[in-house]
Amino acid sequence: MTVQLQMLGTGDAHATNYYNNNGLLLSPGYTLMIDCGTTAPMALEAAGRSFREIDAVLITHTHSDHVGGLPELARLTHAGSGRKMTLLAAGPLIEPLRETYRKSRSGKSGSPRSLDEAFEVTPLKPSTPYTLSAGVTLELISTPHIRGKDSYSLLLNGDIFYSADMIFQPEFLLKLVRRQGVRKIFHECQLTGQGTIHTALSDLLTLPQDVRSLISLMHYSDQKPEFEGKTAEMTFMEQQVIYPL
């Protein structure tokens, strides 16, 4: 089995036709959940998968469509096996995650009372490669999203870029492709309007063809069907589909 990516959902925070933009990185003997939004437990079930398959969950930033499912995941994990799943996040995110978990857990019976009771919390240093398994290396890259709020995109196995929510960074994307040899880009996409805290489709369309041809679009709105065939060389990712990397 090669390393694969299955998107549990591909929707933005307001999508109702798509689950939150969360994924599973699948490799022999190791499964990493990328983000755990409010809909992640439902999306896992819809994909025919179980929390028992997941070795660790990685959080890119603290918005609810990326972390809102952590209390339910923790509840299911503890009820099912009593084990603590590993939670990976950049060091600067750990304290905000603790507070976010505390607030989102409120009123949910059965969930562990704190992030540290729920998970083996493991801080990672940004811009530092980590070997997670024989088939997976990971590096966190700080990318801009909302002023004053940390957010981290991912470099997987040195040549695959998976964006967090981020403001358009054209020079950075050009560098990834033309200097660092990145061969796949999974990029969030705001379909309409100007990107102020997200990357707009109109921005991505300004990139050179060789870069656009590497981009798959995710984190989109319910308007996605209206934009089929209007994304140049870029393709839409589909939820629950497994993509070989």
Side-chain angles (χ1 to χ4, degrees):
M1 170 183 163
T2 59
V3 179
Q4 299 172 317
L5 177 65
Q6 182 176 25
M7 297 306 296
L8 296 174
T10 51
D12 65 17
H14 306 291
T16 58
N17 295 331
Y18 310 99
Y19 294 114
N20 296 149
N21 195 85
N22 307 157
L24 290 179
L25 190 65
L26 309 167
S27 66
Y30 187 85
T31 296
L32 176 71
M33 177 184 279
I34 302 173
D35 285 327
C36 185
T38 304
T39 67
M42 292 183 291
L44 267 175
E45 183 177 359
R49 293 191 175 276
S50 165
F51 65 88
R52 295 180 181 87
E53 301 175 47
I54 301 169
D55 295 284
V57 56
L58 172 81
I59 300 301
T60 63
H61 64 292
T62 58
H63 287 162
S64 62
D65 55 323
H66 297 266
V67 300
L70 285 177
E72 180 65 7
L73 182 66
R75 186 189 69 79
L76 292 171
T77 301
H78 281 240
S81 64
R83 74 181 175 103
K84 279 187 174 184
M85 186 183 294
T86 298
L87 185 145
L88 306 172
L93 288 181
I94 299 301
E95 284 306 318
L97 274 171
R98 288 185 173 120
E99 179 64 12
T100 299
Y101 181 91
R102 184 187 66 79
K103 290 180 178 178
S104 61
R105 179 198 171 272
S106 297
K108 295 183 179 180
S109 62
S111 296
R113 292 167 294 179
S114 68
L115 189 74
D116 297 275
E117 183 180 324
F119 298 98
E120 292 291 348
V121 178
T122 305
L124 304 180
K125 293 181 180 180
S127 304
T128 301
Y130 290 88
T131 299
L132 302 185
S133 73
V136 176
T137 61
L138 166 73
E139 181 178 340
L140 299 179
I141 301 172
S142 178
T143 46
H145 179 30
I146 293 178
R147 186 183 297 273
K149 301 288 186 180
D150 292 300
S151 184
Y152 297 88
S153 296
L154 316 178
L155 185 64
L156 301 169
N157 291 349
D159 60 3
I160 298 168
F161 180 72
Y162 182 107
S163 84
D165 295 0
M166 61 181 279
I167 298 169
F168 185 45
Q169 301 291 294
E171 295 303 320
F172 171 67
L173 294 172
L174 285 171
K175 178 183 176 182
L176 285 177
V177 173
R178 295 180 176 177
R179 295 186 187 178
Q180 294 183 224
V182 162
R183 59 184 179 84
K184 287 182 183 289
I185 296 173
F186 301 107
H187 208 294
E188 68 125 346
C189 180
Q190 175 184 308
L191 295 177
T192 60
Q194 293 184 332
T196 54
I197 60 174
H198 294 282
T199 296
L201 174 61
S202 58
D203 292 327
L204 292 171
L205 287 169
T206 68
L207 291 168
Q209 181 179 3
D210 64 313
V211 179
R212 293 197 308 261
S213 66
L214 304 180
I215 295 177
S216 297
L217 304 173
M218 60 184 188
H219 200 280
Y220 44 72
S221 70
D222 287 340
Q223 293 171 287
K224 180 245 194 185
E226 301 171 28
F227 288 85
E228 296 282 1
K230 300 178 182 179
T231 60
E233 297 82 6
M234 299 178 288
T235 58
F236 283 110
M237 301 189 79
E238 304 289 346
Q239 61 188 23
Q240 301 185 12
V241 173
I242 297 175
Y243 297 91
L245 301 185

